[in-house]
Amino acid sequence: MSNLNIYVACGSGIATSTVAANKIEDIVKEIGISRYKINKISMTELPSVISSADVVFTTNRYKGEHEVPVMSVVPFITGIREEATKEKVRELLEEVMKNKGDNK
Amino acid sequence: MKILELINPNYIWNNIDVKSESDIFELVFKKGFEEGKLKETYLDSIKKREKEYPTGLYLDSYSIAIPHTDAEHTSEEFVAIIKPNSQVGFMNMEDPDEALKVDLIFLLALKDSDNQLAVLQEIMQIIQDETVVNNILNSKDNEDIMRTLKEIKDNE
């Protein structure tokens, strides 16, 4: 079973995605996913790699077409509704893992 | 806080008359370029980036913007603080069609360095702290702002 391939995107690929990726990694570890790769990326690079992703988190709205789940995680930056967002990220990751086949 | 190493009173604009995000970018660019911290390409790059991927953040009692662009346009990293006399329009990061009236701007001229995560986390800690933000918004001069920032305790 391959690694869970997670992309975290923001405008520059280095600022808000860095903060968001750090929080997402905590959740990934918390739910016991051991084989994963978190890639930080810019929104402009996203369309060219999105087909290889299992799940994508962004701090900007992604307008492109996509078949993989994409979720906005701005609350990780503002702290507003952060707990609710963590819960949603957890649920989404668990669902993605289930669809991928359990690779814990 | 690590961020203090990146904040310089010469890059704080307190109670300044600016009408738009462009005014702010031009102001910071002029100084940063003159002093060799920003490359010539910085201004166009940050304007374009803000238009495509806005950085306005809505918090409960105020709005803040954290404009920034690719590391390649910065020669020497710094964080500029701009406190406009009246709110400035920025679009919302979460919803690029929604305009926010922003009270305070942290312009991040960062390179992709090792302490970047720590610096960014500190920025998030600052903007989420109502007391700190209100102190900054009520400061009389740059030294006041520096004092507020120096008083912040590290999270860890």
Side-chain angles (χ1 to χ4, degrees):
Chain A
M1 189 69 65
S2 57
N3 282 351
L4 183 71
N5 207 12
I6 303 168
Y7 279 90
V8 185
C10 70
S12 62
I14 61 163
T16 53
S17 60
T18 304
V19 177
N22 190 52
K23 301 217 176 197
I24 288 159
E25 183 157 26
D26 287 345
I27 298 170
V28 166
K29 287 180 182 162
E30 216 177 275
I31 59 181
I33 300 171
S34 54
R35 298 178 60 192
Y36 63 91
K37 189 168 190 305
I38 297 183
N39 315 275
K40 287 188 292 165
I41 193 167
S42 70
M43 294 295 290
T44 22
E45 292 167 305
L46 187 55
S48 62
V49 297
I50 194 163
S51 60
S52 69
D54 290 308
V55 59
V56 178
F57 298 97
T58 69
T59 56
N60 303 98
R61 190 195 283 166
Y62 181 60
K63 290 172 181 160
E65 290 192 6
H66 53 88
E67 280 169 14
V68 299
V70 176
M71 178 182 165
S72 160
V73 288
V74 174
F76 286 167
I77 312 303
T78 60
I80 293 170
R81 300 182 312 273
E82 182 166 345
E83 282 309 313
T85 305
K86 276 187 185 165
E87 190 50 47
K88 276 188 198 151
V89 169
R90 207 172 290 136
E91 282 166 14
L92 178 58
L93 285 171
E94 277 171 346
E95 193 190 310
V96 169
M97 289 296 288
K98 212 168 114 191
N99 295 340
K100 197 177 160 67
D102 200 32
N103 77 345
K104 276 190 185 180
Chain B
M1 290 191 120
K2 284 194 169 168
I3 197 177
L4 286 169
E5 294 164 22
L6 300 179
I7 298 176
N8 165 342
N10 296 330
Y11 282 81
I12 298 178
W13 283 267
N14 195 2
N15 298 324
I16 189 136
D17 269 318
V18 276
K19 300 265 174 291
S20 65
E21 53 185 46
S22 283
D23 285 358
I24 292 170
F25 300 156
E26 278 159 28
L27 190 76
V28 178
F29 172 72
K30 189 168 179 290
K31 192 172 177 67
F33 181 59
E34 269 171 19
E35 297 188 352
K37 292 178 192 283
L38 298 175
K39 296 183 186 165
E40 203 169 359
T41 50
Y42 190 88
L43 184 59
D44 284 344
S45 166
I46 196 164
K47 281 185 179 175
K48 188 165 167 253
R49 169 58 48 78
E50 191 63 35
K51 199 165 194 169
E52 275 175 274
Y53 303 111
T55 64
L57 296 168
Y58 173 79
L59 290 104
D60 280 333
S61 350
Y62 42 78
S63 290
I64 286 182
I66 51 165
H68 55 271
T69 189
D70 297 337
E72 64 189 74
H73 305 287
T74 299
S75 305
E76 199 186 315
E77 52 181 4
F78 66 90
V79 172
I81 302 175
I82 300 95
K83 194 188 94 189
N85 265 335
S86 50
Q87 295 170 315
V88 174
F90 273 80
M91 304 311 271
N92 190 346
M93 185 183 286
E94 202 163 18
D95 176 1
D97 298 321
E98 186 195 357
L100 295 176
K101 287 179 175 167
V102 164
D103 302 282
L104 185 64
I105 297 102
F106 290 90
L107 184 147
L108 318 176
L110 296 179
K111 298 180 75 81
D112 205 352
S113 63
D114 293 341
N115 63 2
Q116 195 194 17
L117 176 63
V119 168
L120 289 161
Q121 284 172 331
E122 287 176 0
I123 293 269
M124 305 314 155
Q125 187 194 336
I126 291 170
I127 66 172
Q128 291 175 21
D129 189 326
E130 273 193 40
T131 313
V132 169
V133 171
N134 285 327
N135 281 345
I136 295 176
L137 292 176
N138 294 320
S139 7
K140 291 186 181 60
D141 52 36
N142 295 1
E143 286 309 317
D144 250 6
I145 294 182
M146 290 305 290
R147 214 170 299 128
T148 299
L149 294 171
K150 282 175 188 160
E151 280 168 8
I152 303 171
K153 300 254 182 335
D154 284 343
N155 251 349
E156 287 143 327

